[in-house]
Amino acid sequence: LGVTGGYNISIAGGSADGNIVDVIADSEYGEANLVINKFVSGGLIGSVGTADRVGNTNNNQVTLTNTRGNGKLEINGYVAGGANFATGIGDASGNKVFINPPQTGENYLIDIKEYVLGGLVGTAGTGKTNKNLVSIQNSHVTQYITGGYNQGAGQVSASENEVYLKDVSLYDSGVVHGRFVVGGLLSNSEGTGLVDLNEVTLVDVAVNGFVAGGLDWYGKNVTLTHNTVSVTGGSVVGRVAGARSFSGSDANFNSVYVQGAEIEAGGEY
């Protein structure tokens, strides 16, 4: 089963905003793995037909914590602050995801079998994925991690998102292509807009994949500016870029800071 704070599947429209989900694995569960078989999402708008609708998944929060000495917290799907899969107009902005947040003290491994994102606008939508935050520690993620992931067409944006990772592994049995850590991402060939002021910070992280502050994955007329990446310690098998454009868009005034980290070429980015 999946876990969500607010789930909207109304064809008529409506939002899934301001929801809070806390999942805590503590000593009450003993040493056995605690497993959620699908997804965890703060706010979720499902795929509800092909008619245009209006609704946002904004300002949701998800917190996952494991405080046990033994036993994993396993998520067999994805984790999202706000995910909007509907057709029509809708944002996924201002969402937050905390996985093993530092204020809870000593934490242990959380294993996420798919991906983690702050805010998502799906392929049938148009909207913004701005000002999302993803903070992860002491965990493993299999596929990718991103602050704002915008798959929508039309006038869209993925700006001012933040990703912070410490003691995290992004690894999928040696697969590098299609695996990434990105602050803000546009991926629709009909998407036009801005990817700016995204921040990615990695501390003692092992990534098999691409790392970027901003990424234009075959968008149209996209501007990528003032995105930043900081890598301290750890390793990256792939490439590291302040911003990367696959469509010939402008990528100006982006920056990368690397200290004490091993960067090894890999993948097709």
Side-chain angles (χ1 to χ4, degrees):
L1 298 177
V3 176
T4 184
Y7 188 14
N8 192 323
I9 55 172
S10 170
I11 296 175
S15 296
D17 292 341
N19 302 287
I20 296 174
V21 174
D22 289 325
V23 178
I24 301 172
D26 57 21
S27 57
E28 179 181 345
Y29 296 95
E31 296 185 356
N33 289 348
L34 176 61
V35 179
I36 295 174
N37 281 323
K38 289 190 176 180
F39 59 84
V40 178
S41 181
L44 176 62
I45 297 178
S47 178
V48 286
T50 58
D52 283 352
R53 69 189 302 283
V54 177
N56 302 316
T57 53
N58 292 340
N59 302 316
N60 300 285
Q61 181 171 307
V62 171
T63 303
L64 308 183
T65 306
N66 187 3
T67 60
R68 300 173 300 163
N70 293 288
K72 295 180 183 179
L73 171 57
E74 293 185 352
I75 312 298
N76 286 335
Y78 67 84
V79 177
N84 192 336
F85 292 100
T87 300
I89 298 172
D91 297 337
S93 295
N95 300 288
K96 297 178 180 179
V97 175
F98 300 101
I99 299 178
N100 275 354
Q103 62 265 33
T104 58
E106 181 97 17
N107 291 296
Y108 300 89
L109 183 66
I110 293 176
D111 193 358
I112 297 161
K113 303 298 186 181
E114 293 186 1
Y115 54 85
V116 179
L117 56 85
L120 170 73
V121 170
T123 56
T126 298
K128 302 180 181 68
T129 53
N130 298 342
K131 297 184 178 180
N132 299 289
L133 169 65
V134 173
S135 177
I136 308 176
Q137 298 192 73
N138 307 315
S139 302
H140 168 259
V141 179
T142 301
Q143 295 179 358
Y144 61 82
I145 301 166
T146 183
Y149 194 169
N150 203 315
Q151 302 173 346
Q155 190 67 36
V156 295
S157 62
S159 298
E160 297 182 72
N161 300 288
E162 183 178 352
V163 174
Y164 174 83
L165 310 179
K166 183 177 180 181
D167 297 317
V168 171
S169 168
L170 182 85
Y171 181 78
D172 185 11
S173 300
V175 176
V176 177
H177 184 65
R179 305 296 181 254
F180 53 84
V181 177
V182 173
L185 167 59
L186 301 186
S187 66
N188 193 315
S189 61
E190 297 301 318
T192 298
L194 193 61
V195 179
D196 73 331
L197 297 170
N198 297 288
E199 297 182 13
V200 173
T201 303
L202 310 183
V203 180
D204 296 327
V205 170
V207 174
N208 270 39
F210 182 67
V211 177
L215 177 60
D216 158 29
W217 210 341
Y218 302 108
K220 180 174 66 175
N221 297 325
V222 177
T223 300
L224 303 98
T225 62
H226 299 101
N227 300 285
T228 63
V229 173
S230 174
V231 185
T232 304
S235 63
V236 177
V237 178
R239 299 185 183 182
V240 179
R244 175 76 159 93
S245 173
F246 282 81
S247 65
S249 299
D250 290 330
N252 300 325
F253 309 111
N254 304 286
S255 61
V256 175
Y257 172 82
V258 178
Q259 181 178 21
E262 181 179 348
I263 313 296
E264 179 181 341
E268 300 179 13
Y269 294 116

